[in-house]
Amino acid sequence: MRPSGRQPTDLRAVKITRSYTKHAEGSVLVEFGDTKVICTASVEARVPRFLKGKGRGWVTAEYGMLPRSTTDRMGREAARGKQGGRTLEIQRLIGRSLRAAVDLEALGERMIAIDCDVIQADGGTRTASITGACVALVDAISHLREQDLLERNPLVNMIASVSVGVFQGTPVLDLDYAEDSNAETDMNVVMNDKGGFIEVQGTAEGDAYSRDELNAMLDLADQGIRQLLEIQQAALSG
Amino acid sequence: MRPSGRQPTDLRAVKITRSYTKHAEGSVLVEFGDTKVICTASVEARVPRFLKGKGRGWVTAEYGMLPRSTTDRMGREAARGKQGGRTLEIQRLIGRSLRAAVDLEALGERMIAIDCDVIQADGGTRTASITGACVALVDAISHLREQDLLERNPLVNMIASVSVGVFQGTPVLDLDYAEDSNAETDMNVVMNDKGGFIEVQGTAEGDAYSRDELNAMLDLADQGIRQLLEIQQAALSG
Amino acid sequence: MRPSGRQPTDLRAVKITRSYTKHAEGSVLVEFGDTKVICTASVEARVPRFLKGKGRGWVTAEYGMLPRSTTDRMGREAARGKQGGRTLEIQRLIGRSLRAAVDLEALGERMIAIDCDVIQADGGTRTASITGACVALVDAISHLREQDLLERNPLVNMIASVSVGVFQGTPVLDLDYAEDSNAETDMNVVMNDKGGFIEVQGTAEGDAYSRDELNAMLDLADQGIRQLLEIQQAALSG
Amino acid sequence: MRPSGRQPTDLRAVKITRSYTKHAEGSVLVEFGDTKVICTASVEARVPRFLKGKGRGWVTAEYGMLPRSTTDRMGREAARGKQGGRTLEIQRLIGRSLRAAVDLEALGERMIAIDCDVIQADGGTRTASITGACVALVDAISHLREQDLLERNPLVNMIASVSVGVFQGTPVLDLDYAEDSNAETDMNVVMNDKGGFIEVQGTAEGDAYSRDELNAMLDLADQGIRQLLEIQQAALSG
Amino acid sequence: MRPSGRQPTDLRAVKITRSYTKHAEGSVLVEFGDTKVICTASVEARVPRFLKGKGRGWVTAEYGMLPRSTTDRMGREAARGKQGGRTLEIQRLIGRSLRAAVDLEALGERMIAIDCDVIQADGGTRTASITGACVALVDAISHLREQDLLERNPLVNMIASVSVGVFQGTPVLDLDYAEDSNAETDMNVVMNDKGGFIEVQGTAEGDAYSRDELNAMLDLADQGIRQLLEIQQAALSG
Amino acid sequence: MRPSGRQPTDLRAVKITRSYTKHAEGSVLVEFGDTKVICTASVEARVPRFLKGKGRGWVTAEYGMLPRSTTDRMGREAARGKQGGRTLEIQRLIGRSLRAAVDLEALGERMIAIDCDVIQADGGTRTASITGACVALVDAISHLREQDLLERNPLVNMIASVSVGVFQGTPVLDLDYAEDSNAETDMNVVMNDKGGFIEVQGTAEGDAYSRDELNAMLDLADQGIRQLLEIQQAALSG
């Protein structure tokens, strides 16, 4: 039924490659099928103005797509002179989600800047970004701990994210672009490794969705995120 | 328990004033307690470029806050030269939600532009905006129908929106600023008058939230939105 | 003769409502007929860079129009990414005029930011803004004085403003939009309560105007501003 | 009494050089003492969008200052990414004034773009710009007439402009920077060669000004503009 | 002598991977040692405005760096709201160079947009970009030819580019970052496969360079570009 | 053969006028035939952020063209809201070139800002700018030395610049616009008074150029720059 031939409960092939580029403290290539995102975590010895002198750190995120990561070439945001609403919305979601993984006081007065740059898009770029960025974040924190800069571990839990939706009447997990662009409902879920919800964002694209559909989607998301958390652990112990 | 003395299941006093300003086809002042938003609906005889010649209409939305609608004065976005991420996120939500109220083909090749401008903020500006804007939208559609410009009614259902959250461990309805800024979880829900979900956006501000908390919040939202739909109807038949 | 049926020497109905919104130190809704402007005065404990350490304060102003305050919807300046020339010109005029009401040394190193936001436009938005903003300014100064933050009263005089013009050959006071858009000459006058001129800005829209017409317009303005100063006093003692 | 040793009724040495640069249809260097402005008039075979198909032309103006035209270097507006409020205000004034010299219907569907670029500033750059630009405009119109592109002469009258002010209690004509920066009142007047007023813009910099002072300033302006109109004629017949 | 241990006449290991991403008509990952750039060529069925209706095509280029492609994180140009001078200079060079490889009339009224995005930087990003982009361009042209859209082959020759410089007194080929940041002179050379020069850009970073040094650098560049042209051919026949 | 009737080895008439405007520490009008550029050098008692506290100075440059300095009117960059790529490229070149004339440590913690504003363009604006700006720079340094602010002379050598190209098969010196817009190759060369190269930027506009053509152009440039250095000296001793 699904264009890809997957079962409704199947994730795409997920692959997490650490140390993908050489300069960043954490650098991950995350692949959810044909969706490929470079996630880097950069440690900076400063905090935003509103946190100066408060003894706490910060995690922030930026998101971008290469112009030809998509089927048709998109205008380059740097050339157009501003980031679009979709971009800002996604990077706010990524930053908020990752801050839920970190004890900002344990981080001290420093910042970790996450960059998620999509080099190939096939649906689910924001969920892949969050899932990959959390691994890059762990590597950046390890880098700080190896330098003995932290008194205690600021990582409070792992987080991962997946999309779920209703496609041709059936709730499905981890939508690719062919599904995403035709789904009746599209929901992005971020959870932590204790099974708690960080974010639930569900949008009816066509008809409204029922409470039952909502529940079915959340069940799928919960199961998919468990698998993603295992793939993250495998990558981190690799 | 709540700073305002309300019960967890209480909405604030909600008031919808139609024909608030004189130029717009639909013009509403919506008040959720001390939160006051002017919502106008403007009919324009054109559609965005991507819809040209397709025989369909469009509903779009913009959102803004007067600089001193808030406790401390915020910089004016027009002076800063761009709309912030929060603004863009909210106006995308308002537009998407209102399009779920309208049959865009029945609207024909014209656009309804919704403007939601907050003149006083006390939490819940986006849910008040959606709830008020739907009434302004109805008036703008009536304006078109009175001119015999539409073959059939493009309004497919009413929508309304409310926030729910977990405040000091208890799920509560329609958070004001005092609650919102201290809530563990903040969720905005948009539903239609058939009980279907248009949007669910729930964010853990502090700890993650459980499936049980999510369900309790959705129950509260469902009950609150039913009341808001009645208040809309009363205003429209007033 | 006038579209509104007024005599050439008649102001429109003018109404000043104080404490219109709850957060600002001064908050006024000013109405000149159908022109309605929210004027807020915000006290800030800082001065612009060029005044730092000089022991003097500052009064500044910003002006905006809600997109559908006008007959046809105007593009939102925040969305277009810049304030237009007309907006900048008006807010410079408002700021300059209000500074003529204040002893900036008596204000100390703090700033009062005036925001004038037009919610409904029917001609004369800048003159209504100045007239209303002066009342908001007085309330903001009273707020500072109640906190015992000022050694002496920085208010040196009241100011008010009105438009005059030549409409169908006759000098008229306080033009509404129907007159303004067809006037041969349009002049905005700002005066203080000692009868001194703060600003005179007269523009020939069609033919040039003569010295006699200029004098007739100034006579009308003088008389109108006296009335506005009385309405301000009535509002302040209300 | 005046820093320059001039009498209150004296203009500075005014010089108008035509054909100053070679590409523009009209190109003038205007000097009011040490204030030097290059004014060009460019004919373009198009009109702004709002005039398309209406059979009328347009005159528009832009104004700029070289970064080191002033005592201290100012930031370049092109590098800062926007024109400041003062610049926009001045170029709006120049454009409005010059349109009062032209019959836009006689001009046909074409545009004359005026550029006033200050290469050395010593007070009165806007009045020098208007006075010089009117000569450049005449040359551009002559250029069109020589090509037989116009049925009748679109020039309806000449305009010129001068500043007047109150300096150390005395009304003075054509203020230089030393006076301008210390004047109590600063007024810019634009008149045509029939003695009619196009623009009067008078600002109290310190104390308010009286009706008597206003009248004295207008008398001075009237007399100065008569001289400027003669200097324009001499240049045009040169 | 060189930090990398290379001989003065040695290129770094160069690798060209075609079909690196799936959406673009041409997609190449080019590696010059640790410098890695994704070059895509996108065919678009339109030309810039200045070429409309002229029967000719266009090749344009844009360049960007991922924020953490560098040792320290650079601000994202999309977030800063503009492309910097270095970026614009490089993308103008890439576009100009690639147009020298193409017969724009044979291309017909269509555009090929080249995007060069640096994912890891270690010196020589512009020369790697040009060398890789030429291969992506060939693939995009082949794509057009396979669809029988072209009457004749628009590819007139191959081009490649390398940097040369004077490092510690010795002319060296293909500088990496360690050399580039300490070189006395830095020269980028673009040549075609007939041995002709497309661009020579040589900058003295410290002392000026002599005619002899210039000649020695050009000899090195000539030899390095011959090798790069062979590596391109090997990739294209792979 | 050349449109101007010049021999291939002829410069245009070059004229350097010092003290052209009165405010700047160095102010030069440079003319290369009909190309006229105002070059000012402004001393500022500050350095860019990246040099703070390092005991070194800086020389920076900005470049602009008056809108009607060209055959057709160009849009004003300040009005368009950004400097174009060509502008940024030229001002980066001017700044880099002039820094090669100065010992930045001898300058101390201060900045010299060069502004090159083209008032009439006829080809070669960047080479004229560099040649004129170097004279303005000398005057600004003399100004500092006269005030006894420098321990030693920061001027290490003079620099000058000229364009060379291949026009109708023949290498020619100092191209005017008629040649420049039809040249096969265009090269800008900056040299110092010891005969060393500061910059060589050669671009094939049509066909690629050969090593022999490159050598012929460099010979011409070398000879032309020697003459320009003499003209600079004559102006400085004038």
Side-chain angles (χ1 to χ4, degrees):
Chain A
M1 178 273 305
R2 302 180 73 173
S4 60
R6 282 186 283 152
Q7 293 301 310
T9 57
D10 284 354
L11 289 176
R12 288 175 283 180
V14 173
K15 200 167 146 193
I16 291 173
T17 307
R18 288 162 66 206
S19 300
Y20 184 67
T21 56
K22 74 172 187 178
H23 297 300
E25 285 72 35
S27 173
V28 158
L29 175 72
V30 61
E31 300 171 69
F32 275 33
D34 276 347
T35 289
K36 302 184 185 190
V37 187
I38 300 176
C39 307
T40 57
S42 300
V43 175
E44 305 195 358
R46 60 182 186 90
V47 286
R49 182 188 303 261
F50 71 91
L51 280 180
K52 267 196 189 142
K54 303 220 167 141
R56 279 196 298 146
W58 194 244
V59 176
T60 187
E62 288 184 357
Y63 169 93
M65 299 182 87
L66 296 201
R68 196 55 196 282
S69 60
T70 45
T71 312
D72 294 314
R73 186 177 182 277
M74 298 184 314
R76 185 179 290 266
E77 290 187 325
R80 290 204 312 238
K82 65 175 173 178
Q83 296 179 292
R86 177 184 171 276
T87 295
L88 291 172
E89 197 170 308
I90 292 176
Q91 69 190 23
R92 283 161 57 90
L93 170 65
I94 299 172
R96 220 158 53 218
S97 298
L98 291 177
R99 284 192 291 279
V102 174
D103 174 347
L104 295 171
E105 308 215 344
L107 188 57
E109 281 218 13
R110 55 180 63 83
M111 194 161 83
I112 298 182
I114 303 292
D115 287 286
C116 297
D117 285 275
V118 178
I119 61 175
Q120 189 173 277
D122 187 35
T125 63
R126 79 189 73 187
T127 55
S129 292
I130 292 168
T131 304
C134 190
V135 174
L137 178 69
V138 172
D139 281 338
I141 289 174
S142 299
H143 175 90
L144 283 167
R145 300 189 77 193
E146 279 156 22
Q147 296 178 291
D148 256 329
L149 288 167
L150 302 174
E151 291 183 16
R152 61 184 197 278
N153 190 351
L155 189 79
V156 294
N157 51 50
M158 290 298 289
I159 62 162
S161 176
V162 79
S163 74
V164 283
V166 178
F167 177 72
Q168 297 186 354
T170 306
V172 293
L173 179 67
D174 187 22
L175 290 74
D176 57 29
Y177 181 73
E179 292 167 332
D180 194 25
S181 50
N182 290 292
E184 290 106 62
T185 299
D186 180 22
M187 180 176 282
N188 295 292
V189 180
V190 186
M191 295 178 76
N192 66 19
D193 54 10
K194 279 119 193 168
F197 290 98
I198 309 297
E199 287 272 346
V200 172
Q201 295 198 344
T203 300
E205 301 288 345
D207 291 336
Y209 52 97
S210 67
R211 185 75 174 260
D212 284 350
E213 285 171 320
L214 173 59
N215 281 325
M217 287 189 285
L218 290 173
D219 290 343
L220 274 180
D222 181 69
Q223 171 244 309
I225 284 172
R226 276 174 217 268
Q227 291 178 58
L228 291 169
L229 289 161
E230 282 169 22
I231 293 167
Q232 287 175 329
Q233 285 312 328
L236 283 165
S237 46
Chain B
M1 179 274 305
R2 302 180 74 173
S4 59
R6 282 186 283 152
Q7 293 302 310
T9 56
D10 284 354
L11 288 176
R12 289 175 283 181
V14 173
K15 201 167 145 194
I16 291 173
T17 307
R18 286 162 67 207
S19 302
Y20 185 68
T21 55
K22 74 172 185 177
H23 298 299
E25 285 73 34
S27 174
V28 160
L29 176 72
V30 61
E31 300 171 69
F32 275 34
D34 276 348
T35 288
K36 302 184 185 189
V37 187
I38 299 176
C39 309
T40 58
S42 300
V43 175
E44 306 196 356
R46 60 181 186 92
V47 285
R49 181 189 303 262
F50 71 91
L51 280 180
K52 268 195 187 141
K54 303 219 168 141
R56 279 195 297 147
W58 193 244
V59 176
T60 186
E62 288 184 358
Y63 170 93
M65 300 181 85
L66 296 200
R68 197 56 197 282
S69 59
T70 45
T71 313
D72 295 313
R73 187 178 182 277
M74 297 184 315
R76 186 179 290 266
E77 289 187 326
R80 288 203 313 238
K82 63 175 176 180
Q83 297 179 291
R86 177 183 171 276
T87 294
L88 291 172
E89 196 171 310
I90 292 175
Q91 69 190 23
R92 283 160 58 89
L93 170 66
I94 298 171
R96 220 158 52 218
S97 297
L98 291 178
R99 283 192 292 279
V102 174
D103 173 347
L104 296 172
E105 308 216 344
L107 188 57
E109 282 217 12
R110 56 180 62 83
M111 194 161 83
I112 299 181
I114 304 292
D115 286 287
C116 296
D117 285 275
V118 178
I119 63 177
Q120 190 173 276
D122 188 35
T125 64
R126 78 190 73 187
T127 56
S129 293
I130 292 168
T131 304
C134 190
V135 175
L137 178 69
V138 171
D139 281 338
I141 288 173
S142 300
H143 175 89
L144 282 168
R145 299 189 77 192
E146 280 156 22
Q147 295 178 291
D148 255 330
L149 288 166
L150 301 174
E151 292 183 15
R152 61 185 197 277
N153 190 351
L155 189 79
V156 293
N157 50 50
M158 291 297 290
I159 61 161
S161 176
V162 80
S163 73
V164 282
V166 178
F167 177 71
Q168 298 185 354
T170 305
V172 294
L173 179 66
D174 187 23
L175 290 74
D176 58 28
Y177 181 73
E179 291 167 332
D180 194 25
S181 49
N182 290 293
E184 291 106 61
T185 299
D186 180 21
M187 181 175 280
N188 295 293
V189 180
V190 186
M191 294 178 76
N192 67 19
D193 55 10
K194 279 119 191 168
F197 291 98
I198 309 298
E199 287 271 346
V200 173
Q201 296 196 343
T203 299
E205 301 288 344
D207 291 336
Y209 53 97
S210 68
R211 185 76 173 260
D212 284 350
E213 285 170 320
L214 172 59
N215 281 325
M217 287 189 285
L218 290 174
D219 290 343
L220 274 179
D222 181 68
Q223 171 245 309
I225 285 172
R226 276 174 216 269
Q227 291 177 60
L228 291 169
L229 289 161
E230 281 169 23
I231 294 167
Q232 287 175 329
Q233 283 312 327
L236 282 165
S237 46
Chain C
M1 180 271 307
R2 302 181 73 174
S4 59
R6 282 185 283 152
Q7 294 301 311
T9 57
D10 283 354
L11 289 177
R12 290 176 281 181
V14 173
K15 201 168 148 195
I16 292 174
T17 308
R18 286 163 66 207
S19 302
Y20 185 67
T21 56
K22 74 172 186 178
H23 298 300
E25 285 72 35
S27 173
V28 160
L29 176 72
V30 61
E31 301 171 68
F32 275 32
D34 276 348
T35 288
K36 302 184 185 190
V37 187
I38 300 176
C39 308
T40 58
S42 301
V43 176
E44 305 196 358
R46 60 184 184 89
V47 285
R49 182 189 303 262
F50 71 91
L51 281 179
K52 268 197 187 139
K54 304 220 167 141
R56 279 195 298 146
W58 194 243
V59 175
T60 186
E62 287 184 358
Y63 170 92
M65 300 182 87
L66 295 202
R68 197 57 196 282
S69 59
T70 45
T71 313
D72 294 315
R73 186 179 183 276
M74 297 184 314
R76 186 179 290 266
E77 290 186 327
R80 288 205 312 240
K82 63 176 175 181
Q83 296 178 292
R86 177 184 171 276
T87 295
L88 291 172
E89 197 170 309
I90 292 175
Q91 68 190 23
R92 283 160 58 90
L93 170 65
I94 299 171
R96 220 159 51 218
S97 298
L98 292 177
R99 283 192 293 277
V102 174
D103 174 347
L104 295 172
E105 309 215 344
L107 188 57
E109 283 217 12
R110 55 179 64 82
M111 193 161 84
I112 299 182
I114 304 292
D115 287 287
C116 296
D117 285 275
V118 178
I119 63 176
Q120 191 173 275
D122 188 35
T125 63
R126 78 190 73 186
T127 54
S129 293
I130 291 167
T131 304
C134 190
V135 175
L137 178 70
V138 172
D139 280 338
I141 288 172
S142 300
H143 175 89
L144 282 167
R145 299 189 77 192
E146 279 156 22
Q147 296 177 291
D148 255 329
L149 288 166
L150 301 174
E151 291 182 15
R152 62 185 196 277
N153 189 352
L155 190 79
V156 294
N157 50 49
M158 290 298 289
I159 63 162
S161 176
V162 79
S163 72
V164 281
V166 178
F167 177 70
Q168 298 185 354
T170 306
V172 294
L173 179 65
D174 187 22
L175 290 74
D176 58 28
Y177 180 74
E179 292 167 330
D180 193 26
S181 50
N182 291 293
E184 291 105 62
T185 299
D186 181 21
M187 181 176 281
N188 295 292
V189 180
V190 185
M191 294 178 76
N192 66 20
D193 54 9
K194 279 118 193 168
F197 290 98
I198 309 298
E199 287 271 346
V200 172
Q201 296 197 342
T203 300
E205 301 288 345
D207 291 337
Y209 54 97
S210 68
R211 186 75 174 260
D212 284 350
E213 286 171 319
L214 174 58
N215 281 325
M217 288 189 284
L218 290 174
D219 290 342
L220 274 180
D222 181 67
Q223 172 244 310
I225 284 173
R226 278 174 214 268
Q227 291 178 59
L228 290 170
L229 290 160
E230 282 169 23
I231 294 167
Q232 287 176 329
Q233 284 311 328
L236 283 165
S237 46
Chain D
M1 179 272 304
R2 301 180 74 174
S4 60
R6 282 186 283 151
Q7 293 301 311
T9 57
D10 285 353
L11 288 177
R12 288 175 284 181
V14 173
K15 199 167 149 195
I16 291 174
T17 307
R18 286 163 68 207
S19 300
Y20 185 67
T21 55
K22 73 171 187 178
H23 298 300
E25 286 71 35
S27 173
V28 159
L29 176 72
V30 62
E31 301 171 68
F32 275 33
D34 277 347
T35 288
K36 303 185 185 190
V37 186
I38 300 176
C39 307
T40 58
S42 301
V43 175
E44 305 197 358
R46 60 182 187 90
V47 286
R49 182 189 303 263
F50 71 91
L51 280 180
K52 271 201 185 133
K54 304 220 167 141
R56 279 196 298 146
W58 193 242
V59 175
T60 187
E62 288 184 357
Y63 169 92
M65 300 182 86
L66 295 202
R68 197 58 196 282
S69 59
T70 45
T71 313
D72 295 314
R73 186 178 182 275
M74 298 184 313
R76 186 178 289 267
E77 290 187 325
R80 290 205 311 240
K82 63 176 175 180
Q83 296 178 292
R86 178 184 170 278
T87 294
L88 291 172
E89 197 170 309
I90 291 175
Q91 69 190 22
R92 283 160 58 89
L93 170 65
I94 299 171
R96 221 159 51 220
S97 298
L98 291 177
R99 284 192 293 277
V102 175
D103 174 347
L104 296 172
E105 308 215 346
L107 188 57
E109 281 217 12
R110 55 179 63 84
M111 194 161 85
I112 298 181
I114 303 292
D115 287 286
C116 297
D117 284 275
V118 179
I119 62 175
Q120 190 173 278
D122 187 34
T125 63
R126 79 190 73 187
T127 55
S129 293
I130 292 167
T131 304
C134 190
V135 175
L137 179 69
V138 171
D139 280 337
I141 288 173
S142 301
H143 175 89
L144 282 167
R145 300 188 77 192
E146 279 156 23
Q147 297 178 291
D148 254 330
L149 288 167
L150 301 174
E151 292 182 16
R152 61 183 196 277
N153 189 352
L155 189 80
V156 294
N157 50 49
M158 290 298 290
I159 62 162
S161 177
V162 79
S163 73
V164 283
V166 179
F167 177 72
Q168 297 186 354
T170 305
V172 294
L173 179 67
D174 187 22
L175 290 73
D176 58 28
Y177 180 73
E179 292 167 330
D180 193 26
S181 50
N182 290 294
E184 290 105 62
T185 299
D186 179 23
M187 180 175 282
N188 295 293
V189 180
V190 186
M191 295 178 76
N192 66 19
D193 53 11
K194 279 119 193 168
F197 290 97
I198 309 297
E199 287 272 345
V200 173
Q201 295 198 344
T203 300
E205 301 288 345
D207 290 337
Y209 53 98
S210 67
R211 186 75 174 262
D212 284 349
E213 286 171 320
L214 173 59
N215 281 325
M217 288 189 285
L218 290 174
D219 290 342
L220 274 180
D222 181 66
Q223 173 244 310
I225 284 172
R226 277 175 216 269
Q227 292 177 59
L228 291 169
L229 289 161
E230 283 168 23
I231 294 167
Q232 287 175 330
Q233 284 311 327
L236 282 165
S237 44
Chain E
M1 180 271 307
R2 303 179 74 173
S4 60
R6 282 187 283 152
Q7 293 302 311
T9 57
D10 284 354
L11 289 176
R12 289 176 283 181
V14 173
K15 200 167 148 195
I16 291 174
T17 308
R18 288 162 66 207
S19 301
Y20 185 67
T21 57
K22 74 172 185 177
H23 297 300
E25 286 71 36
S27 174
V28 158
L29 174 72
V30 60
E31 300 170 68
F32 276 32
D34 275 348
T35 289
K36 302 183 186 190
V37 187
I38 299 176
C39 308
T40 58
S42 299
V43 175
E44 305 196 356
R46 61 182 185 91
V47 286
R49 182 189 303 261
F50 70 92
L51 280 180
K52 266 194 189 143
K54 305 221 167 139
R56 279 197 297 147
W58 193 243
V59 176
T60 187
E62 287 184 0
Y63 170 94
M65 299 182 87
L66 296 201
R68 197 56 196 283
S69 59
T70 44
T71 313
D72 294 314
R73 187 178 181 277
M74 297 183 314
R76 185 179 291 264
E77 290 187 326
R80 289 203 312 239
K82 64 174 174 180
Q83 296 178 292
R86 178 184 170 276
T87 294
L88 291 173
E89 196 171 309
I90 291 176
Q91 69 190 23
R92 283 160 57 91
L93 170 65
I94 299 171
R96 220 158 52 219
S97 297
L98 291 177
R99 284 193 292 278
V102 174
D103 173 348
L104 295 172
E105 309 216 343
L107 189 57
E109 280 218 13
R110 55 179 63 82
M111 194 161 83
I112 299 182
I114 304 292
D115 286 287
C116 297
D117 285 275
V118 178
I119 61 176
Q120 190 172 278
D122 188 35
T125 64
R126 78 189 73 187
T127 55
S129 292
I130 292 168
T131 304
C134 190
V135 174
L137 177 70
V138 171
D139 281 339
I141 288 173
S142 300
H143 176 89
L144 282 168
R145 299 189 77 193
E146 279 156 22
Q147 294 178 292
D148 256 329
L149 288 166
L150 301 174
E151 292 182 17
R152 62 184 196 278
N153 190 352
L155 189 78
V156 293
N157 50 50
M158 291 298 290
I159 62 161
S161 176
V162 79
S163 74
V164 281
V166 178
F167 177 71
Q168 298 185 352
T170 305
V172 294
L173 179 66
D174 187 23
L175 290 74
D176 58 28
Y177 180 73
E179 290 166 331
D180 193 26
S181 50
N182 290 292
E184 289 106 62
T185 299
D186 180 20
M187 180 176 281
N188 295 291
V189 181
V190 186
M191 295 177 76
N192 67 18
D193 53 10
K194 279 119 192 169
F197 290 98
I198 308 299
E199 287 272 346
V200 173
Q201 295 198 343
T203 301
E205 301 288 345
D207 291 336
Y209 52 98
S210 67
R211 186 76 174 260
D212 284 349
E213 284 171 320
L214 173 60
N215 281 325
M217 288 190 285
L218 290 175
D219 290 342
L220 274 181
D222 181 69
Q223 172 243 312
I225 285 173
R226 276 174 216 268
Q227 291 178 58
L228 291 169
L229 289 161
E230 282 169 23
I231 294 167
Q232 287 176 329
Q233 284 313 326
L236 283 165
S237 45
Chain F
M1 180 270 308
R2 302 180 74 173
S4 59
R6 281 186 284 152
Q7 293 301 311
T9 56
D10 284 354
L11 288 177
R12 289 175 283 181
V14 173
K15 200 168 148 195
I16 292 174
T17 307
R18 287 162 66 206
S19 300
Y20 185 67
T21 56
K22 74 172 186 178
H23 298 301
E25 285 72 33
S27 173
V28 159
L29 175 72
V30 61
E31 301 171 68
F32 275 33
D34 276 347
T35 289
K36 302 184 186 191
V37 187
I38 299 176
C39 308
T40 58
S42 300
V43 175
E44 305 196 357
R46 60 182 185 90
V47 286
R49 182 189 302 262
F50 70 91
L51 280 180
K52 269 199 186 137
K54 303 219 167 144
R56 280 196 296 147
W58 193 242
V59 175
T60 186
E62 287 184 359
Y63 169 92
M65 300 182 87
L66 296 201
R68 197 58 196 281
S69 59
T70 45
T71 312
D72 295 314
R73 187 178 182 275
M74 298 184 315
R76 187 179 289 266
E77 290 187 325
R80 289 204 313 239
K82 63 175 176 180
Q83 297 178 292
R86 178 184 169 278
T87 295
L88 291 172
E89 197 171 308
I90 291 176
Q91 69 190 23
R92 283 160 58 89
L93 170 66
I94 299 171
R96 220 159 52 220
S97 298
L98 291 177
R99 284 192 292 279
V102 175
D103 173 348
L104 296 171
E105 307 215 346
L107 188 57
E109 282 218 12
R110 57 179 62 82
M111 194 161 83
I112 299 181
I114 304 292
D115 287 286
C116 296
D117 285 274
V118 179
I119 63 175
Q120 189 173 278
D122 188 34
T125 63
R126 79 190 72 187
T127 54
S129 292
I130 291 167
T131 304
C134 190
V135 175
L137 178 70
V138 171
D139 280 338
I141 288 172
S142 300
H143 175 90
L144 283 168
R145 298 189 78 191
E146 279 155 24
Q147 295 177 291
D148 255 330
L149 287 166
L150 301 174
E151 292 183 15
R152 62 185 195 278
N153 190 351
L155 189 79
V156 292
N157 50 50
M158 291 298 290
I159 62 161
S161 176
V162 79
S163 74
V164 282
V166 178
F167 177 71
Q168 297 186 355
T170 306
V172 295
L173 179 66
D174 187 23
L175 289 73
D176 58 28
Y177 181 73
E179 291 167 330
D180 193 27
S181 50
N182 290 293
E184 290 106 62
T185 299
D186 180 22
M187 182 175 281
N188 294 293
V189 180
V190 186
M191 294 177 76
N192 66 19
D193 55 10
K194 278 120 192 168
F197 290 98
I198 308 298
E199 286 272 345
V200 173
Q201 295 198 345
T203 300
E205 300 289 344
D207 291 336
Y209 52 98
S210 67
R211 186 76 174 261
D212 285 348
E213 285 171 319
L214 173 60
N215 281 324
M217 288 189 285
L218 290 174
D219 291 342
L220 275 180
D222 181 66
Q223 173 244 310
I225 286 172
R226 275 173 216 270
Q227 291 178 59
L228 291 169
L229 290 161
E230 281 168 24
I231 295 167
Q232 288 176 328
Q233 284 312 327
L236 283 165
S237 45

